[in-house]
């Protein structure tokens, strides 16, 4: 496999020892429906996923308001269509909305044509809400080289799916500069909290105290390396009361260090790309 060509990156730390991006993947029912439309009739499974947009998102938005923190919401097209108020509320509260596939099927399992269709449908759906996304995250972070090339082709400015660094970097995708903002399973709530019998999306119910300890230890060490702490949250998981309190504890820990900055993903991408591209510059609506 050919690795994408890396190019020099701009200063994104801007004096901080580490930067936290609070990324919120509003999957809702999409990962379940991606396994089969039959789950539309599984009322309990659907309700478990609906907790995210119904309860989790408003609570996370309130928490962000309380601490005046920016965040980036990755929204699958299926979620945007089923829960239009999520798009409206997140945009109204001043947060970034970025792409997360249309159906939440993993690009590694899709043909090149299907991958293109996922991006086209997502863009069309977002434009209907007046949102021009500049970033993308592959469902389950599972992408191919073709996915990356499509992002460049469609004029997106960054991706957040690859794991070969813990600092953002710049590369060429289809001949255009694109930033990578690496995530990791360690900083994802899915591995800690996802439990669902049918379909099996995980079998974990960990104590929030353990999760806060895990994430805080990682951030503390990241301060020595100038890393990007890409926290990944799912409202149907982290929206539950004790977990939300755990998230607040982590936020307070980060703020208490005094040298940790919080930023939206598009802001980091813009800095990595040399600050030439202001947030909000992305693909143009197509007729
Ligand atoms: Zn997802």
């Amino acid at each position: 496999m050919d690795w994408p060509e890396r190019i020099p990156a701009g200063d994104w730390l801007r004096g901080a020892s580490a930067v936290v991006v609070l990324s919120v993947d509003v999957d809702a029912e999409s990962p379940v429906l991606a396994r089969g439309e039959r789950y539309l009739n599984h009322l309990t499974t659907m309700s478990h996923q609906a907790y995210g947009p119904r309860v989790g998102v408003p609570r996370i938005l309130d928490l962000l308001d309380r601490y005046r923190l920016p965040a980036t919401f990755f929204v699958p097209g299926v979620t945007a269509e089923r829960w239009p108020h999520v798009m409206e509320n997140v945009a109204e509260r001043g947060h970034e909305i970025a792409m997360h596939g249309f159906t939440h099927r993993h690009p590694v399992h899709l043909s090149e044509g299907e991958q293109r269709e996922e991006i086209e449908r997502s863009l069309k759906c977002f434009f209907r809400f007046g949102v021009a996304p500049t970033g993308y995250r592959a469902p389950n972070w599972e992408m191919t080289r073709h996915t990356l090339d499509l992002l460049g082709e469609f004029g997106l400015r960054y991706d957040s799916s690859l794991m070969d660094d813990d600092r953002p970097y710049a590369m060429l995708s289809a001949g255009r500069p694109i930033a990578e903002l690496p995530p990791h399973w360690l900083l994802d709530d899915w591995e800690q909290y996802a439990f669902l019998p049918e379909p099996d999306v995980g079998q974990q119910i960990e104590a929030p105290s353990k999760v806060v300890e895990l994430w805080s230890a990682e951030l503390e060490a990241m301060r020595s390396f100038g890393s990007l702490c890409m926290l990944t949250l799912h409202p149907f998981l982290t929206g539950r009361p004790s977990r939300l309190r755990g998230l607040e504890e982590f936020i307070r820990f980060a703020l208490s260090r005094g040298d940790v900055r919080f930023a939206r993903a598009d802001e980091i991408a813009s800095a990595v790309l040399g600050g030439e591209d202001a947030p909000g510059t992305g693909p143009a609506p197509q007729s």
Side-chain angles (χ1 to χ4, degrees):
M1 191 204 67
D2 289 338
W3 286 101
E5 185 190 338
R6 287 213 192 182
I7 53 176
D11 173 27
W12 57 276
L13 272 169
R14 294 182 176 162
S17 68
V19 177
V20 177
V21 171
L22 298 169
S23 70
V24 184
D25 293 7
V26 194
D27 287 349
E29 301 96 333
S30 65
V32 164
L33 294 175
R35 307 271 189 109
E37 293 278 303
R38 64 187 178 283
Y39 289 111
L40 277 171
N41 294 320
H42 196 317
L43 190 58
T44 304
T45 283
M46 291 294 278
S47 72
H48 179 263
Q49 301 305 114
Y51 183 92
R54 255 190 226 291
V55 181
V57 170
R59 284 186 185 163
I60 290 170
L61 286 171
D62 286 348
L63 179 66
L64 295 170
D65 272 4
R66 229 167 33 248
Y67 287 87
R68 299 177 182 223
L69 293 176
T72 295
F73 287 70
F74 290 92
V75 184
V78 164
T79 299
E81 290 195 342
R82 292 180 66 90
W83 302 94
H85 78 270
V86 164
M87 296 290 280
E88 292 151 11
N89 292 351
V90 168
E92 261 171 37
R93 307 279 271 268
H95 302 290
E96 178 193 2
I97 301 179
M99 286 165 54
H100 191 39
F102 190 85
T103 61
H104 206 279
R105 288 177 299 162
H106 310 167
V108 286
H109 301 137
L110 299 178
S111 69
E112 293 191 353
E114 287 169 329
Q115 289 197 31
R116 176 179 294 276
E117 196 190 333
E118 286 277 317
I119 291 177
E120 284 173 348
R121 286 181 79 189
S122 287
L123 283 173
K124 263 190 192 149
C125 168
F126 276 30
F127 291 150
R128 280 203 299 277
F129 287 97
V131 172
T134 60
Y136 172 85
R137 165 173 288 164
N140 218 39
W141 295 325
E142 292 190 320
M143 70 194 297
T144 68
R145 179 62 195 266
H146 184 68
T147 325
L148 197 60
D149 286 343
L150 283 173
L151 302 185
E153 184 190 322
F154 280 92
L156 287 151
R157 311 307 293 138
Y158 75 88
D159 169 65
S160 178
S161 317
L162 302 177
M163 306 194 186
D164 56 337
D165 209 328
D166 51 49
R167 296 153 301 182
Y169 57 87
M171 60 186 158
L172 288 177
S173 157
R176 301 182 65 164
I178 188 166
E180 175 60 43
L181 278 55
H184 189 258
W185 312 110
L186 166 60
L187 292 166
D188 184 2
D189 63 355
W190 194 289
E191 283 58 52
Q192 309 303 327
Y193 298 141
F195 178 93
L196 194 61
E198 174 63 31
D200 179 0
V201 301
Q203 299 287 324
Q204 300 294 326
I205 299 187
E206 296 290 351
S209 56
K210 177 212 132 180
V211 179
V212 174
E213 189 186 333
L214 188 73
W215 292 349
S216 300
E218 181 69 354
L219 176 61
E220 184 67 3
M222 282 179 147
R223 289 172 62 234
S224 311
F225 292 99
S227 305
L228 177 70
C229 182
M230 175 59 79
L231 202 67
T232 300
L233 308 164
H234 297 80
F236 76 90
L237 300 172
T238 285
R240 298 272 164 190
S242 60
R243 298 168 179 176
L244 198 69
R245 198 165 278 176
L247 172 61
E248 182 169 2
E249 227 176 285
F250 171 78
I251 287 171
R252 292 171 74 95
F253 172 80
L255 292 171
S256 74
R257 310 330 276 163
D259 57 4
V260 171
R261 193 163 69 83
F262 284 79
R264 294 176 13 164
D266 57 356
E267 186 210 311
I268 300 293
S270 176
V272 167
L273 295 174
E276 294 154 16
D277 299 83
T281 310
Q286 297 149 326
S287 53

